[in-house]
Amino acid sequence: MSADSRRLRQLIYVGNGVAALAVSACLLTVLGAGLGRFPALGRALVPGRGAWTSAAGARLPDSQTLTVAGLAEPVQVSFTVQGLASITAQTDDDAYTALGYVQAEFRLAQMDLERRVAEGRLAQLIGRSGVPSDEFELRLGLLRTAQQEWAAMPTGSPAAQALLAYAAGVNDYLARARATGQWPVAFSLAHVYPPDWTPVDSLAVQGELTQELGFSTTPLDYLALEQSLGARRTLLWFAPEAADAEPADSITALPAGSASAAAAILAEARAESGALGIAPAAEIASATASTAWAVNGAKVAGGGALLAGDPDLPQTMPSAWYQVALTAPGLAVSGLTVPGLPAILIGHNASIAWSFAPQAGEDTLYYDEQTRQHGRDYLWRGEWRRPRVLRYAIPVRGGPTRQFSMWLAPQGPVLTTAGQTMSVYWTGALGSPDIAAMLGVAKASSFSEFASALAGWQSPDLSFVYADDHGNIGSVTAGQDPRLSLGQGQAWLPLPGTGADDVSGLVPAATGSAVYDPASDVVVAGGAGAVGNAVPGYLSGHSAMSPASFAALEDDAADPIAAVVLPKLLAALRGARLTSEQRMAAGALASWDGQMTASSSGASIWWLFWSSYLTTVFQPWWSAARVPVSLDPYGLSVGASQPSLDADLAAWTVGDQQNAAFSPPRPSLAAAGRFARSPRPAAAAAVSPAAMDMRAAFGQAVNLLAAWMGDNPAGWQFGKLHTAQSPSLTGATALGWGPAPAGGDDSTVNAAVGWLNSQLGPSARVIAGWPTAGQAIAEVSYPGGQSENPASPWYDDQTAGWWAGDYLPMSWAGGAGAPIAWELQP
Amino acid sequence: MTAEFRRLGKRGAYRLGQLRAQGVRQSRPPRPLRPRFARHRWYRWSTSTWLLALLAGVVVIAATTVVGWWFMPFVVGVGAGFANRIGGWPWRVAVPAVAVMAAVGWAAPLWIGVLRGLPFGGVARVIAALTGLPGGAAAGVVLTVLIAVVQAMTGYWLGRALTPRLAGDLFR
């Protein structure tokens, strides 16, 4: 072998070795530590310690004895075949410790995700994509609020004791998970594991729920509408509650000038509504599909009291709710908890049952700060001041820690949302003794104790509905709204941040908020009805109701707008020149029962007609006024998810078909737009503008349906257009449920909020009460199951029953005869 | 070594290295019967030795998953690369053998778990979903096994690349 050849072989040998070393180092680094967002798959997928260990948590639990160090005395936990848990303890503290342990066993990833979102630590788990959420939440201040609440909470108070006991239970489970390495898959893949649970974490989760139910951008949407459509049209079409004329001791005091003009416009709108016999326009995006109601007396077969509730939250897998029963001396309660919170929010005890629905309120105020020096100074009470600056470090998985700073103005943190940068006053940032209130409700045995327990509740604004074992019903509006000393601003719009319009205190969210045994035998909150005596259509006309009829009502898909508008549409179509398809579609509508069921073709025609009708009438105004929809599409766009416009258009169609809204501001624009009107027939003068628009919208709906699903209206099932989905909290499509054909819409009791694919609607349904003396009933249903582990049979075992309208009996104290029993030993 | 008989004792009579040039022609000994996969210039270990070594590798890889030693397929792969130089397997046999060893090393604990009633199929589906892989549970299993195989292959390469000449010379 020549020297050259030998040298070449040596080079190849060395090069091969170096390359092998380099590749090995890279591979081991990536598999062991990950690369950016790429997870450390070596660690994550090693059988025995990685993600595969979650299989142990996916098996149905065995009856066993477990050691939970945080307990003082032994605790019994039993599970039904669906995993509904019953905890029997000898003290309240042990009950909440066991609750923490059990929730962590079945919902640890969800709990950790919730606190991460609330505390601005999401990016640490999911990487860079979580940074915007973290920045927003840190600005909004859920963590600051939780820390302040915990610092101010008396150590010996029942709420503090429950929070500490609950945290101890969660941490006992975490200690076990650390010892066994059995973590939910999400942690193993990210190689980020949850730190110990603290009472602050529970309070942060409470803050997140408050944000979900109470934080809004409504004033910013009003500003965008007022600047584009004009104040008068905005007030008439969207009727902001804050601009309403109210007594002097009410929530907000209005300024003398512009606000009185606003009040006059609203009074005009209300007078018009009253004359037409219709409901006035709703506040922008204020409607919630959540409902809770109770009936008694002649309304109940048996003469007792029955209650139903279906709080609307995003429908996710796993569910936002975890069902459990707690029993200890002096405590016997069953119902729905939110994982992370030691409290039952909806449920019953031996004497009372309760549910809630969000109550529209003025929880969020925005302040437009006057600044100078590129925003470094702001004007407040006549002086230029430096804002307080807070700095945060956001750990990011797979990337460098992100540093950011934020300002605190006197009114609150400076936020950028819906295209506006303003300071925000939000009652949720003040904290609220919600856990103490719910602990009190769990032990209440009468309406006075129930109302007393809720007296300290500050946020979010909720209407609690009540029923008891003596056949009484009632409701309490809990929450407080800011009292304003208005200077130059209007409460329904962002206010000047100069100090003249600052909040001077808090007042109860609604005057005369408690209702008890009304003559109508009905109390209702949320949805289409107001709190108190007003009886919405779906509840009127019923008598001798039973749990079965309650279940049917909660599953009701009757569209109330269709009930009043459909006759007008059919009247408008009479005499119109229709194609054969349109005639068949009109026939299908005429024989339609008004139910938005997945198998109904009439529902498809109605649904598309109503969407087209809204667009035909309002879009020309939006286009002409250049409404900045992109700033907040949900709050500003024309569509069926805008309850204000729904109410307006229904009212005009029923009683005012000559309303000026049917005449677009620039006819040429309407003619050139997507939704061009049908040519007016010769006898146009005899046809109202509303009828013309209805004909055009109907024609467009039929054309769309024919294009999508063929010429035969019999095949236009609603479920082919409309689906519902319960996405996984992880974001992985395969771990969610759906999309699947579904009925319902924004207006039905069984709500499906959204357009083509709904992901928001009832998050649970509860029926509880005492139809007859001594006969208690408590049933629950929610999509998903008790476990968050997708490999567990308890992950989605209740989904089919949910969509079929079935209920399960709530677990109850003791869980006698339950197939699975744990003995928790200290 | 051969010699020129007429010049024995004289310079140049002995010609080193000239095989088969003189004297009686020697016939080649019959080739020993060896399995084709074991034929190698430096072949030293029997097939059963190799199979035992592979089995040991499987056991080591599988056993250490219990304590979370995810890198053991790589380590065993390095050992296989080193041993290959000593024991003398052709790479076209050694590479698939080492791959199978790693795959079985990580698949065996999963299979044992399934036999014990653990819902690994569901977990595999979750892994596939969270890592964005199509194909459901099979994708989760394949991904896991693939990680073990890639590690072992890289280790084998490293072991072969760093140790061959020295080890080969030592044992030659």
Side-chain angles (χ1 to χ4, degrees), chain A residues 116-139:
Chain A
R116 285 182 182 281
V117 169
E119 297 173 3
R121 288 291 178 273
L122 187 61
Q124 190 177 37
L125 182 67
I126 69 169
R128 199 171 45 194
S129 60
V131 169
S133 168
D134 287 348
E135 288 193 355
F136 181 86
E137 297 298 347
L138 287 171
R139 287 181 203 276

Side-chain angles (χ1 to χ4, degrees), chain A residues 13 16 24 32 42 47 49 52 790, chain B residues 65-66 68 70 120 144 157 161-162:
Chain A
Y13 167 64
N16 187 40
S24 298
R49 293 295 282 192
W52 295 100
Chain B
T65 60
V66 177
W70 58 271
F120 277 146
T144 300
W157 177 25
L162 293 187

Side-chain angles (χ1 to χ4, degrees), chain A residues 453-470:
Chain A
L454 293 169
W457 185 286
Q458 287 190 199
S459 63
D461 291 348
L462 296 180
S463 294
F464 285 86
V465 171
Y466 164 98
D468 69 24
D469 57 346
H470 290 91

